[in-house]
Amino acid sequence: MKNIYILLSLCFFSIRVWSQQIKYSQPESEDMRTLDFEIIGKVSGNYLVYKNLRSKDEVSVYDDDMNLKENFDLDFIPGKTINTEFIAYPDFFYVIYQFQKRNILYCMAAALDGNGKVVRKPFDLDTTNISYFSNNKIYGVINSEDKSKILVYKIQKKNDEYSFTTSLFNVGLQLIHKSRTETSFQDNKDVFSDFFVDNEGNFVFTKGTRINSRDYQQQLMLVTKRPLADTFSIYEFNLSGNFLDELKLKIDNLNKQYLLNSLYYNKRNGNVEGLYTSVWDKENNKLVSQNFAPFNDSIKLAVKSEGGTRQAFNNFFIRNVILKNDGGFILTAEDRTTQSQGMPWNRYNYLYGYPYLSPYGSFYPYSPSSYWYSGQYQNYYNGAPVRYFYENIAVFNLDKTGNLVWSNVIHKSQYDDFTDNYLSYTLIPSGGQINFLYNELERHNELLKVQSISAEGNLTRQPPLRNLDRGYEFMPRYAKQVSYNQLIVPCTYRNYICFAKIEL
């Protein structure tokens, strides 16, 4: 499931009116907790949700009141798919799926309307011959922010070389350009960021290098490939002896630049010192700015739950990068840890191993900030139960050169055993502010709470949401924004999965 990226306007309303409405879907008898799902979006006025249970693929169509209109089977999808992706437009959506038949991998696509009618029958996007025992998780699908470009990439490894095959398509899934490019990659040292394609069709990601597999990044490179190019362009950054954590790349299509953000350290095995930010001008292929901004004592004191201020940010992970029209951005980071009997928490494992695994195989380090829902809980580690902790949220407002304007902290305390499905938060801008939705324990009941942050960085705890029917448990981390003030939030009722539409 892809992260939610939002363009935040600088034009904030001077008067903020808080109102909200919640409507629930009815639990269906087959929608058990073991259901896998993805919220597709709003298509032709309907709200669509993909569901998979025991190799059965279907899409549920809900009306504006979240009443189920129909379930339609995706009967053209084989029973055992490797991966399924959706790209939604106002009046249709694509389903892109991969499967293996004998020694051939197929990447296929079909188009359907908002009522489930097939408007374009399945067709090939790419095929690959592989040996029977080869890794078959080689395809990935990404789309640009405006959805005018769709890029299908596949990565195959041979020795210490990765071969990238990229197929760039337009909105009609007509091929624009296909190329094959090789780059070096050492499993125990190198790490890629998430992959992106911008509105012009440029393929973009970063590559970091570590001394070994359990170390921070000591080298950083930006890797780009223009739409019609057949080679990568690689630009190395001077980190001045500092070390980086997980790198978060963000494309600013409006200002035609790439934003690179990470927590940084000034020595190996040290504490998080501050925030690293660099801004790259893609039109002129040059670095606009690069900052290593240390966290001051006031923000460290505000976020720490216990222990000294030196370790205040050691458990934080960057979650969201929210763009502003002037080239600035708002960045959020969340405090997250796990605890298992006999197994101390380890940041390296959290970033590059347990409890998160890559859906695309070993080449793609799966980040804890990339949320997707699977009904199979990750309950144990080496036979020991796991407890998940999701704590405070740090919010930073930065200008177009990456300098800090203001910061604030949303205080929360969440934990759960066996699963973290009900923990963390989602955000949605509404009424000139950013609203953070998360569960909070109150009188032995989990309630969905909202805190809002203004353009000036002021926090407001909003009144409790209405229509919080007893018995529904929300999973805000898997929510998806479907319009400027609407989001679909999955929830459970008893032993069933259902969905709530929230309007702010």
Side-chain angles (χ1 to χ4, degrees):
M1 192 175 182
K2 299 176 178 66
N3 290 338
I4 302 173
Y5 299 119
I6 305 162
L7 182 64
L8 182 65
S9 173
L10 286 180
C11 299
F12 291 89
F13 295 99
S14 59
I15 299 176
R16 303 182 179 98
V17 179
W18 176 255
S19 62
Q20 53 77 28
Q21 188 178 44
I22 303 178
K23 296 180 180 179
Y24 300 88
S25 69
Q26 292 296 314
E28 300 295 318
S29 59
E30 293 187 355
D31 293 352
M32 308 294 287
R33 287 177 185 260
T34 53
L35 178 78
D36 294 339
F37 66 81
E38 181 173 347
I39 299 167
I40 298 173
K42 187 177 183 179
V43 182
S44 300
N46 295 323
Y47 302 91
L48 307 184
V49 178
Y50 164 73
K51 300 175 181 178
N52 172 268
L53 183 63
R54 295 188 294 272
S55 299
K56 180 182 179 182
D57 299 276
E58 67 178 22
V59 173
S60 295
V61 182
Y62 299 97
D63 65 16
D64 196 54
D65 293 320
M66 294 306 291
N67 296 315
L68 180 67
K69 296 177 66 173
E70 64 174 314
N71 291 317
F72 58 86
D73 292 334
L74 301 177
D75 50 14
F76 52 84
I77 296 181
K80 293 184 178 180
T81 55
I82 299 167
N83 193 43
T84 306
E85 301 277 352
F86 299 90
I87 304 174
Y89 296 85
D91 55 356
F92 76 97
F93 70 94
Y94 286 122
V95 53
I96 301 176
Y97 56 99
Q98 298 100 52
F99 65 93
Q100 181 177 352
K101 188 175 182 180
R102 296 185 177 90
N103 64 333
I104 300 179
L105 281 176
Y106 294 87
C107 182
M108 307 278 292
L112 299 89
D113 66 17
N115 293 305
K117 180 182 178 181
V118 177
V119 295
R120 188 175 178 185
K121 294 181 179 179
F123 57 97
D124 289 346
L125 294 178
D126 196 64
T127 58
T128 303
N129 285 289
I130 63 171
S131 64
Y132 185 80
F133 296 103
S134 297
N135 177 20
N136 62 5
K137 297 179 180 180
I138 65 173
Y139 282 107
V141 180
I142 51 178
N143 59 269
S144 60
E145 183 181 46
D146 64 2
K147 300 181 184 179
S148 66
K149 304 295 187 300
I150 299 170
L151 189 138
V152 176
Y153 62 88
K154 64 181 177 183
I155 305 179
Q156 295 173 283
K157 184 181 179 182
K158 184 176 182 181
N159 299 322
D160 286 334
E161 291 284 331
Y162 272 173
S163 173
F164 282 79
T165 301
T166 58
S167 300
L168 182 65
F169 298 90
N170 62 17
V171 67
L173 280 181
Q174 298 167 316
L175 184 64
I176 298 173
H177 185 70
K178 185 173 183 176
S179 66
R180 185 174 180 269
T181 310
E182 293 185 350
T183 185
S184 61
F185 189 92
Q186 298 183 62
D187 284 334
N188 63 335
K189 292 185 178 181
D190 296 333
V191 58
F192 291 152
S193 70
D194 292 339
F195 300 128
F196 293 94
V197 59
D198 65 22
N199 288 348
E200 296 175 359
N202 297 291
F203 183 40
V204 189
F205 60 96
T206 68
K207 178 182 177 182
T209 301
R210 302 167 291 177
I211 295 176
N212 56 59
S213 62
R214 302 179 66 81
D215 207 345
Y216 304 125
Q217 299 179 46
Q218 62 175 357
Q219 289 181 307
L220 173 64
M221 289 166 280
L222 178 67
V223 184
T224 65
K225 191 179 79 66
R226 293 194 176 274
L228 302 181
D230 294 318
T231 58
F232 286 134
S233 297
I234 301 176
Y235 311 93
E236 185 169 356
F237 293 76
N238 180 8
L239 300 182
S240 303
N242 293 301
F243 300 86
L244 301 184
D245 200 61
E246 178 193 25
L247 200 290
K248 303 297 291 185
L249 174 64
K250 179 71 174 181
I251 293 176
D252 183 352
N253 287 292
L254 179 64
N255 295 288
K256 299 185 182 302
Q257 59 189 19
Y258 304 138
L259 309 177
L260 291 79
N261 293 281
S262 174
L263 301 175
Y264 80 89
Y265 311 79
N266 58 23
K267 61 181 179 181
R268 294 178 60 188
N269 302 319
N271 298 306
V272 172
E273 294 293 332
L275 182 65
Y276 167 76
T277 296
S278 59
V279 180
W280 183 268
D281 180 350
K282 76 168 188 177
E283 292 292 290
N284 299 303
N285 283 329
K286 68 176 184 179
L287 186 65
V288 175
S289 63
Q290 181 173 245
N291 292 322
F292 290 90
F295 295 132
N296 58 38
D297 289 340
S298 62
I299 187 66
K300 288 181 179 180
L301 285 170
V303 303
K304 81 180 190 74
S305 299
E306 58 184 19
T309 57
R310 290 184 181 180
Q311 299 84 28
F313 277 90
N314 284 2
N315 298 339
F316 275 78
F317 295 87
I318 296 175
R319 271 286 312 274
N320 306 93
V321 178
I322 308 162
L323 301 177
K324 299 187 294 185
N325 285 343
D326 66 349
F329 56 96
I330 290 176
L331 182 146
T332 71
E334 186 178 25
D335 186 341
R336 285 175 284 175
T337 57
T338 58
Q339 184 181 76
S340 179
Q341 184 178 2
M343 184 64 190
W345 185 84
N346 185 291
R347 187 176 187 89
Y348 306 105
N349 288 341
Y350 204 79
L351 277 170
Y352 305 116
Y354 164 78
Y356 298 92
L357 299 175
S358 165
Y360 297 117
S362 60
F363 71 84
Y364 190 24
Y366 195 55
S367 160
S369 59
S370 301
Y371 290 146
W372 60 286
Y373 176 83
S374 172
Q376 306 302 318
Y377 291 169
Q378 296 169 325
N379 297 347
Y380 297 93
Y381 182 68
N382 286 344
V386 177
R387 172 166 287 188
Y388 299 87
F389 297 89
Y390 284 67
E391 304 293 333
N392 298 333
I393 305 167
V395 185
F396 303 95
N397 182 19
L398 300 105
D399 66 19
K400 62 183 179 181
T401 59
N403 291 311
L404 183 65
V405 179
W406 54 254
S407 63
N408 213 328
V409 178
I410 296 175
H411 292 276
K412 67 179 179 68
S413 181
Q414 301 170 299
Y415 75 91
D416 204 351
D417 295 322
F418 306 114
T419 178
D420 56 353
N421 285 338
Y422 305 96
L423 308 181
S424 196
Y425 69 94
T426 191
L427 57 78
I428 179 173
S430 177
Q433 55 195 7
I434 303 176
N435 304 298
F436 293 79
L437 287 73
Y438 58 92
N439 289 320
E440 189 170 77
L441 188 64
E442 186 173 295
R443 297 179 181 178
H444 305 291
N445 293 316
E446 289 284 357
L447 298 180
L448 191 63
K449 297 295 185 70
V450 181
Q451 287 200 59
S452 303
I453 194 163
S454 69
E456 299 78 26
N458 300 318
L459 277 173
T460 302
R461 182 179 289 271
Q462 301 294 353
L465 296 178
R466 299 190 301 271
N467 299 333
L468 291 176
D469 293 358
R470 189 179 300 275
Y472 285 89
E473 296 182 273
F474 291 88
M475 296 186 282
R477 61 187 298 211
Y478 303 111
K480 184 170 185 176
Q481 186 172 359
V482 294
S483 71
Y484 77 98
N485 69 334
Q486 294 179 336
L487 69 160
I488 303 297
V489 184
C491 48
T492 55
Y493 180 78
R494 296 179 180 175
N495 202 37
Y496 299 95
I497 297 286
C498 52
F499 300 88
K501 186 188 72 171
I502 299 180
E503 295 184 8
L504 297 178

